[in-house]
Amino acid sequence: MGVRVKTGHTLLAAALGLGMAFGAQAGKYPDITSLPDLKINAAKAELGKRLFFDRRISGDAGIACSDCHKPENGYAHPDALSPGYPGNGHFRNSPSVINAAHKKVWMHDGRLGTNLNDVTREMLTEDYIMNMDMRIMQERAKQDPKYVQMFKDAGYGEPSNGSVRKAIPEYLKTLTSVNAPIDTGKMSASAKRGQKLFEGKAGCIQCHNGPLATDGKAYNTGVPENFDIFLDPMNHHAFIAFAMFQGIEDYMNLKRDPGYYNITMDAADTGKFVTPSLRELKYSAPYMHNGMVKSLYDVVAFYNRGGGKDSRKDSRLKPLKLGKQDIKDLVAFLESMSGDPLTSGQHVWKDPYPAEYPVIENWTQVKN
């Protein structure tokens, strides 16, 4: 696996990874262009928006999609590790779901590569995330008159779990970068200098390219382990549930995130993670799959040192020898890939949800 790129004699890697090679040539890689427009069904997207912010679609009605993907944090979460289902923690950082509808592979380890319907199902049903029985979710939706009307208006008929898994992805289509300077052409002088470094000396474009600024491949860049996963019983509980279900051997003694090993079961892939998109990073700190890097400046500094320490780290990672101004310019370029905050009523459901359901007086005669 991996990407093989001839650049004279370098071949590089990334993982919220920025750059790692000298002599990169931007023309060899897809440009970071504007994202294509998506066809959106307004009624289905509006239904998906209400579902995304509704805690009633989790097992004990204690957590909504938006509790880990918070609008004010670029639909990521400000904690290093995601909150997880009430009663346990989590073992990875919540990625932003802005532009998720444009991706071809999801999750930090890349274990889902089909569609957002499958991603939605996994998030809803995993016991350490939302722990939802889809049959109960369907019945809860049927008891809410507003949902009954919204499902009907969306053309789905009566509420069903299959329609929920279609409506949420339709809403996610609306979470797309808007007015990012890299798209509008209104980048600062510092950002323009950063772009030259990104495509040249720093070599970031070798892995961060195309409209999403990711090649969708997995690499080991030596990101330090977050031992809160193993020292905090709540987080470890979620990790064990994940590793056991995925069939990872000796998971009770494991003290590191296996990463892409989960896909291939090849030890050489331990610690590899999929190159993340660089869009909307301005809002979504902290960074890396485990939230171990706090700021964009720290991310660039990390790769300027040649990445971290790991026996399986890509051997092509070398120090970039960038100066302080170079790092600032690269950060400015990264920030130019973030657009307007998506925090208005256009993207966020702000109406209250009913605390109780109306009593159906003749419920024994009413069709379910």
Side-chain angles (χ1 to χ4, degrees), residues 102-129:
H102 293 274
K103 292 184 176 181
K104 302 299 181 186
V105 60
W106 296 268
M107 318 305 283
H108 289 298
D109 57 14
R111 68 180 181 274
L112 288 174
T114 51
N115 52 57
L116 274 177
N117 188 310
D118 287 345
V119 175
T120 301
R121 180 188 59 193
E122 173 150 332
M123 296 302 100
L124 289 172
T125 58
E126 279 289 3
D127 56 4
Y128 58 89
I129 299 177

Side-chain angles (χ1 to χ4, degrees), residues 197-229:
L197 289 166
F198 187 94
E199 297 173 348
K201 181 179 179 180
C204 315
I205 198 166
Q206 293 178 85
C207 298
H208 292 285
N209 53 56
L212 285 172
T214 172
D215 63 1
K217 307 293 184 181
Y219 306 95
N220 184 333
T221 62
V223 174
E225 206 66 41
N226 187 337
F227 287 104
D228 285 345
I229 297 169

